[in-house]
Amino acid sequence: MKTKKMKELFLIAIGVVLFSACKKESENIFTMFTDLTVTYNNSDPRCITDYKVVNEKEEVWIDFTINSASEDMYSYTVEKSAGTQTPSRTVYTITDPTQRRSFSNIIKLVMDRDGKTTYRIYALNQKGVFIGDGKKSVTIEVNPSYMIYANRDIYLPDSVAKILPSFFSLNDASVFSYSDGASNSAKIDFGIYRKLASNSTPAVVSYVVNLYSPSVAVSPLTVYDISTWTPKRTTQFSAPVTGQATAFLTGAISGSKIEELAKARTIKLNETAATLAANGLAAGNAVFFLTPEGKYGMLYINASTSDYQKRPYINVSVKVQR
């Protein structure tokens, strides 16, 4: 028993010696890459050196110099981080051999995204391995250029009590019923209604939801008489466009981008006329619009459903230029 115990201790001792002999000291990650620096220069009023607040469409310069004390640089990466999106990275080759240890350049940007965007520049060696970013980055914040209103409910009209909010204002996302619509007609951009879809059958009933402007010549919803409402807003709309979730979330990210998306559509309707449920105000679809004030916007339908009282409604989100 004693001999066995001695053998176990001997093996443990041998293991400790071998582990110590093979162990390689690694440099602390917080002290690595200290011989490379990135300097953000202030050569022009448009330059950013740390943090800068600008307006949409304003030009911003990133004037930078990378210095590497001990290793040649063969390329550098510009990393862009904005919102919840995965950072994008663009690699640029350093072609001049005389600039392997010190490289300078100016990146000129025209800001087209609201909110904060962070840029980080780091160098790569001949093998494309990261050799440092100077532990620095710059952040540009663009002042808001559009308004966003999320998850607003618009109910299908109730023909008896006429108290459900079936009219909508695109300026502030407020809703109105037919009962209070006349006194708020100056704010109302559209109302919604539904009708039997063209493919509906007695066995499988299907409805399509459309919208209409109070300025329409003949109201498609005859149970609501809006002929005496005044004034009437003259907002114009596109036909519903299917599959717009990505465009709304990651495309409509500034006033100019919203306008760009809207102008790609024909906007001249004062009522939509879809005949199939999937082509109307259905989940995932969007309607682009132009207000009388000249503001472009995007109305996105999150859902078409019913509440616990089985009253049908659509849930929408809106982005509109300021």
Side-chain angles (χ1 to χ4, degrees):
M1 189 69 174
K2 186 175 180 180
T3 303
K4 183 179 180 182
K5 192 71 173 178
M6 290 292 291
K7 286 181 178 180
E8 289 177 355
L9 292 173
F10 177 76
L11 290 173
I12 291 172
I14 290 295
V16 170
V17 171
L18 290 174
F19 178 78
S20 299
C22 295
K23 183 180 178 182
K24 182 178 180 180
E25 291 295 331
S26 297
E27 188 177 0
N28 189 317
I29 187 66
F30 297 106
T31 61
M32 294 173 69
F33 313 118
T34 56
D35 59 354
L36 186 141
T37 61
V38 178
T39 303
Y40 294 99
N41 307 305
N42 192 22
S43 61
D44 185 276
R46 290 166 288 191
C47 287
I48 177 172
T49 59
D50 180 39
Y51 174 83
K52 192 179 185 75
V53 179
V54 300
N55 294 317
E56 185 199 18
K57 296 184 179 180
E58 193 169 332
E59 187 172 303
V60 179
W61 291 8
I62 302 177
D63 180 347
F64 67 94
T65 300
I66 311 175
N67 289 302
S68 179
S70 61
E71 191 169 1
D72 284 355
M73 302 179 293
Y74 281 78
S75 60
Y76 65 94
T77 298
V78 178
E79 180 184 86
K80 175 184 176 182
S81 301
T84 59
Q85 298 179 27
T86 302
S88 62
R89 299 176 180 88
T90 305
V91 180
Y92 299 91
T93 302
I94 299 174
T95 57
D96 187 345
T98 66
Q99 296 180 314
R100 298 269 183 244
R101 294 299 181 92
S102 182
F103 178 84
S104 296
N105 197 12
I106 299 177
I107 302 170
K108 297 181 180 180
L109 308 166
V110 177
M111 306 313 297
D112 61 358
R113 184 190 192 283
D114 285 15
K116 295 180 179 180
T117 303
T118 297
Y119 292 86
R120 182 171 73 107
I121 298 173
Y122 57 85
L124 306 172
N125 63 16
Q126 189 173 16
K127 295 181 179 180
V129 176
F130 173 90
I131 56 175
D133 62 357
K135 300 179 181 178
K136 289 183 178 181
S137 63
V138 293
T139 298
I140 305 165
E141 182 170 4
V142 178
N143 286 318
S145 61
Y146 69 95
M147 297 296 296
I148 179 169
Y149 303 103
N151 298 313
R152 306 303 170 98
D153 295 335
I154 311 174
Y155 277 81
L156 271 295
D158 55 324
S159 58
V160 180
K162 301 179 180 180
I163 58 172
L164 289 179
S166 60
F167 294 95
F168 193 79
S169 168
L170 291 166
N171 278 335
D172 60 7
S174 53
V175 290
F176 305 94
S177 69
Y178 176 76
S179 298
D180 58 17
S183 60
N184 291 282
S185 63
K187 302 176 183 177
I188 293 173
D189 290 280
F190 68 87
I192 66 169
Y193 73 103
R194 72 177 184 180
K195 63 181 181 180
L196 285 172
S198 60
N199 61 350
S200 181
T201 66
V204 182
V205 178
S206 177
Y207 292 96
V208 55
V209 180
N210 281 297
L211 63 78
Y212 64 99
S213 165
S215 65
V216 69
V218 178
S219 174
L221 186 65
T222 56
V223 295
Y224 283 2
D225 181 10
I226 60 173
S227 61
T228 58
W229 287 13
T230 185
K232 294 179 179 180
R233 288 179 61 76
T234 56
T235 299
Q236 294 183 307
F237 303 91
S238 73
V241 185
T242 60
Q244 293 298 295
T246 300
F248 186 80
L249 181 63
T250 63
I253 53 177
S254 69
S256 62
K257 288 295 185 181
I258 292 170
E259 182 171 341
E260 182 181 314
L261 289 169
K263 285 184 173 180
R265 309 294 173 176
T266 301
I267 302 177
K268 63 178 182 180
L269 303 176
N270 54 18
E271 64 176 313
T272 61
T275 58
L276 297 174
N279 296 330
L281 303 186
N285 294 356
V287 173
F288 296 89
F289 60 86
L290 175 62
T291 72
E293 296 79 23
K295 306 295 184 182
Y296 285 94
M298 184 176 184
L299 172 74
Y300 179 75
I301 294 81
N302 301 303
S304 180
T305 184
S306 299
D307 66 13
Y308 71 98
Q309 292 180 282
K310 298 183 179 180
R311 299 178 302 186
Y313 69 93
I314 60 173
N315 179 271
V316 304
S317 294
V318 178
K319 290 183 177 181
V320 58
Q321 290 177 312
R322 283 179 177 267

